[in-house]
Structure formats: C-alpha cells, structure tokens
Amino acid sequence: MGYRVVDTESVEPEPDRPCECRKLAGPGGLEAAAINRFRAEPGEQLPLAYHYHETQQEAFYVLDGTLAVETPDGTYEVPADDLFVVDPESPQRAYNPADADRPVTVLAIGAPPADDDAVAYDPTDE
C-alpha cells in the first residue's frame, strides 16, 4: 500500500505558461493519469495553444470562478463545481475571459498521461 499527501502550494508553477500551472502527477506519484491545477487571471488562457490530444481524454473540474472553453462547436461556460470533458481529437482552448470579475481555478485531469500527443489546432483551417 502507498499513500501520499501533496501540498499543492509547495509545487513550483511551471515556467513559461500563460497562467499559473502546477503539475501534480509527479509529486503525487501518479503514473496512469496527469493532473494539473491551473489558476488563470481574467484574460489568461490555460493551455499554451488551441489544441487537441491524439490519445488523451481530459477533464476540467472548476473549483472557483467560471471557465470558458472554445471549441469548433462554440464556447462553453463551465461554472464552479461543474466538470467539462474533452475526448481525444476534440480541439479546445480553455481560458478565463478578459471581462471576468475574478480568477478561475481548475483541476485538469488527463488519461492516459501523454506529454507528446498535443497537436496545435488552427480554427481558421476548418
């Protein structure tokens, strides 16, 4: 058996990200899933770019605020305590709108963990 408690505030934010991103899978010893905590101020986006994953399914659980997720089908507004799920090969760009009145905090879970399967997506190519 194994157990771990991770003080998420002790995990250093990733450098060169458009918002605060704390990668928690490594400190938690997770091997079957990726887990990140994002905190985005108004006008900041979560991922580095509009993208999709070839194999990874993602779930965004909104802890506080409202997350906006742009997709080719339209933009979804995801309030606190709701979950937004993205299937593989489904383009998305998650962000906190510039006119938001507060930051958004999101727990993002991806499985299987996939560092190299993100593909940039250009919505003008549709």
Side-chain angles (χ1 to χ4, degrees):
M1 285 190 268
Y3 310 94
R4 290 166 289 289
V5 173
V6 177
D7 174 5
T8 60
E9 291 299 320
S10 71
V11 176
E12 288 294 318
E14 290 292 301
D16 303 321
R17 298 293 299 213
C19 74
E20 180 184 288
C21 171
R22 295 177 192 263
K23 293 191 174 206
L24 306 176
L30 296 171
E31 296 176 5
I35 185 167
N36 300 316
R37 190 188 78 193
F38 293 98
R39 185 173 188 280
E41 296 291 334
E44 293 181 336
Q45 66 180 27
L46 276 59
L48 293 171
Y50 203 145
H51 71 286
Y52 64 89
H53 291 277
E54 294 178 317
T55 61
Q56 187 181 65
Q57 187 174 43
E58 290 183 288
F60 298 95
Y61 180 72
V62 180
L63 299 167
D64 188 48
T66 299
L67 179 67
V69 184
E70 180 181 352
T71 75
D73 295 336
T75 300
Y76 294 83
E77 289 189 7
V78 188
D81 291 327
D82 277 8
L83 180 72
F84 185 80
V85 178
V86 181
D87 290 330
E89 299 187 5
S90 299
Q92 57 87 9
R93 180 180 73 91
Y95 63 97
N96 192 5
D99 61 354
D101 60 358
R102 63 183 183 180
V104 64
T105 304
V106 177
L107 197 59
I109 302 151
D115 289 332
D116 298 329
D117 87 329
V119 177
Y121 174 78
D122 184 350
T124 62
D125 288 345
E126 289 294 305

